[in-house]
Amino acid sequence: MVKSYETIASIVSLEENSVTDIRVILNEVGASRSGPGMGQQATRNMMEKQYQGEWLSLSSALTPPLAVEVLPHGVTIHRIIVQVEGKTHDILIGPENPQDYETFKYTNTIIGRYANRVRVGEHIVKKDGFERLARPISNESPEVSLHGGLLGFDFAVWQRLSLEDTKLFTPAEIRTLQNSSTSESSDNTAIYAYISEDGDQGYPGKLYLETLVALLPPAQDEKGKVGSIVILYRARLVNEGVTPINLTHHWGFNLEASLQEGESGNDKLSVKNHRLNIKLKGEKSGLKVDFDSNQAGLMFYTNNHPNKQFRKKIHGGPGMKDDGYINGSAAFLEFHEPLSAFLHPEATPNSTDTLLTSNEIYNNFVRADIFVDRCCNSPTPGVEEVPRLRGLEG
């Protein structure tokens, strides 16, 4: 399951042998869903802080060109703020109040232990001499387990680690990320840890996970680029065995919802005039997001079953209930391995089996490069236009 970083090899490099044996850290990062190895008061404090946003930025300036707000609740990417020519954009949909993510399910959160849909039942999983029984729990229907079960990783409270306390990223990797910041005082990297118990939502094996969120500046020759958001997922089994694992982020983009001037009705909320070619582009805002991942699959839909209760103020909502998003108001791009790959290895010969043994480290990423295209309304001569999004079902 250990993979190379392919196109982002220059950012970080995997040094598996330097990863601490995680059996020694169980007393430091414990096994409760509410928080690692914590007493009652510490658990209460963590529960109170799960919706307190933590900001990352490339610059310590008052209005940095790119900033991201992350919540410990499900490693939720609550806001991606982009400053363009005096205009502030938040390019993710979602509620104004972070606590409303309790009812805003599968929006901007991590998904796990297994993304997308898995058939409910008893499945024997085997790899490298290990054999375990997986029993995915039904939640979408009696026959289907969706996004890890009733209480997946999206609903867990993750603990933010100091960069020195990471167990799955090397000091060299952390230095590389820190050195990429454009300001000594800026905070461009965060790591969140969680332990999933053996049997959690029916999946075998006690699993220690770290999710790293980092902002990277553009290179000097990257014209129009504001910066990049990189999410790195790593995990390792604590005890000997094997388990299915398939992680992603379920984030919903709208590059034009922050544009209010001259718009009427619900037109400004639709993404059906965005263009997609693993590159998402807003024709009116001039914003563009290019995506990259080392994972073989992509799930895409346009939010045709939205949460209609809440909407961010910057997207024209009041911040209260009963004024939410419309059908087709976001482009969700979820990079993960093919659906239920561990049940159908013959169907994915060129991909991973999504089975992690205690001899491996789970290691995947997604990267979003954000650009400003100031010529967004002028197609390049001789280049065929990419079709706009029209009525894609989710």
Side-chain angles (χ1 to χ4, degrees):
M1 179 74 67
V2 177
K3 293 184 174 182
S4 67
Y5 273 105
E6 300 176 346
T7 58
I8 64 165
S10 60
I11 301 173
V12 289
S13 60
L14 179 64
E15 301 174 27
E16 181 180 4
N17 293 333
S18 67
V19 177
T20 305
D21 184 341
I22 59 175
R23 293 176 180 81
V24 304
I25 65 164
L26 286 182
N27 291 330
E28 303 172 25
V29 185
S32 73
R33 178 166 288 275
S34 59
M38 307 174 71
Q40 291 184 354
Q41 183 60 46
T43 297
R44 282 194 296 270
N45 292 340
M46 172 167 277
M47 295 300 290
E48 292 174 359
K49 294 179 179 178
Q50 65 173 312
Y51 295 111
Q52 293 182 7
E54 301 170 326
W55 283 94
L56 306 178
S57 67
L58 285 177
S59 168
S60 58
L62 185 61
T63 55
L66 177 63
V68 171
E69 185 180 12
V70 187
L71 310 179
H73 171 87
V75 196
T76 301
I77 310 297
H78 180 42
R79 298 186 188 275
I80 298 178
I81 299 297
V82 184
Q83 303 287 344
V84 179
E85 297 178 346
K87 175 67 178 178
T88 300
H89 298 262
D90 183 349
I91 62 175
L92 291 182
I93 68 163
E96 180 70 23
N97 185 345
Q99 292 186 350
D100 290 329
Y101 279 105
E102 290 185 357
T103 58
F104 223 100
K105 191 73 170 169
Y106 306 138
T107 301
N108 305 332
T109 62
I110 193 172
I111 297 296
R113 183 177 302 194
Y114 208 92
N116 225 301
R117 291 158 177 83
V118 177
R119 179 169 41 90
V120 170
E122 294 190 348
H123 310 298
I124 296 175
V125 293
K126 301 178 181 180
K127 186 177 181 181
D128 297 344
F130 298 107
E131 179 176 323
R132 294 293 185 271
L133 182 65
R135 300 185 181 92
I137 295 175
S138 64
N139 58 336
E140 185 182 55
S141 72
E143 295 81 25
V144 177
S145 178
L146 176 65
H147 293 328
L150 289 169
L151 295 173
F153 294 169
D154 62 296
F155 222 69
V157 184
W158 293 62
Q159 180 184 2
R160 182 169 180 177
L161 302 178
S162 68
L163 299 183
E164 294 76 18
D165 290 337
T166 175
K167 310 301 178 183
L168 300 182
F169 294 90
T170 70
E173 291 174 324
I174 299 302
R175 284 194 301 272
T176 299
L177 290 166
Q178 288 180 311
N179 292 340
S180 70
S181 175
T182 57
S183 171
E184 293 182 0
S185 60
S186 68
D187 189 359
N188 72 319
T189 304
I191 298 175
Y192 295 86
Y194 181 66
I195 281 189
S196 174
E197 283 280 15
D198 182 16
D200 186 10
Q201 307 304 298
Y203 289 96
K206 182 177 288 187
L207 191 66
Y208 175 72
L209 306 102
E210 289 184 3
T211 299
L212 181 149
V213 183
L215 302 185
L216 303 174
Q220 291 184 349
D221 60 347
E222 293 181 300
K223 294 183 179 180
K225 188 174 182 179
V226 178
S228 302
I229 304 166
V230 178
I231 305 177
L232 297 163
Y233 310 99
R234 289 190 184 169
R236 193 170 189 179
L237 282 167
V238 174
N239 301 314
E240 287 192 347
V242 59
T243 190
I245 179 173
N246 198 1
L247 304 181
T248 189
H249 251 78
H250 206 282
W251 46 2
F253 290 84
N254 189 315
L255 307 185
E256 297 182 345
S258 300
L259 297 175
Q260 304 298 319
E261 299 83 358
E263 299 291 338
S264 62
N266 290 324
D267 292 343
K268 63 180 178 291
L269 293 180
S270 177
V271 296
K272 293 180 181 179
N273 65 339
H274 287 36
R275 301 172 185 273
L276 174 65
N277 188 15
I278 312 302
K279 299 179 181 181
L280 189 66
K281 180 178 178 181
E283 291 297 296
K284 298 175 183 177
S285 67
L287 293 174
K288 182 178 70 170
V289 184
D290 292 0
F291 295 91
D292 186 23
S293 178
N294 61 344
Q295 301 182 89
L298 170 64
M299 182 74 177
F300 174 79
Y301 74 103
T302 53
N303 203 30
N304 280 355
H305 305 284
N307 185 311
K308 297 185 178 182
Q309 291 186 322
F310 302 101
R311 176 158 46 110
K312 291 177 178 177
K313 292 181 179 179
I314 196 172
H315 295 164
M320 299 178 291
K321 288 187 68 173
D322 301 325
D323 187 5
Y325 292 91
I326 64 170
N327 292 0
S329 56
F332 282 80
L333 295 101
E334 304 147 30
F335 293 87
H336 52 67
E337 300 299 337
L339 277 64
S340 302
F342 72 97
L343 296 179
H344 308 286
E346 72 286 350
T348 56
N350 298 320
S351 182
T352 175
D353 55 12
T354 66
L355 292 176
L356 178 72
T357 72
S358 45
N359 297 326
E360 300 173 297
I361 298 174
Y362 180 87
N363 176 53
N364 282 319
F365 79 90
V366 61
R367 172 173 174 157
D369 298 329
I370 300 174
F371 293 82
V372 179
D373 184 355
R374 291 178 174 83
C375 298
C376 57
N377 293 318
S378 300
T380 302
V383 177
E384 182 178 354
E385 292 188 359
V386 178
R388 293 178 173 86
L389 310 183
R390 298 293 183 190
L392 296 176
E393 296 294 331

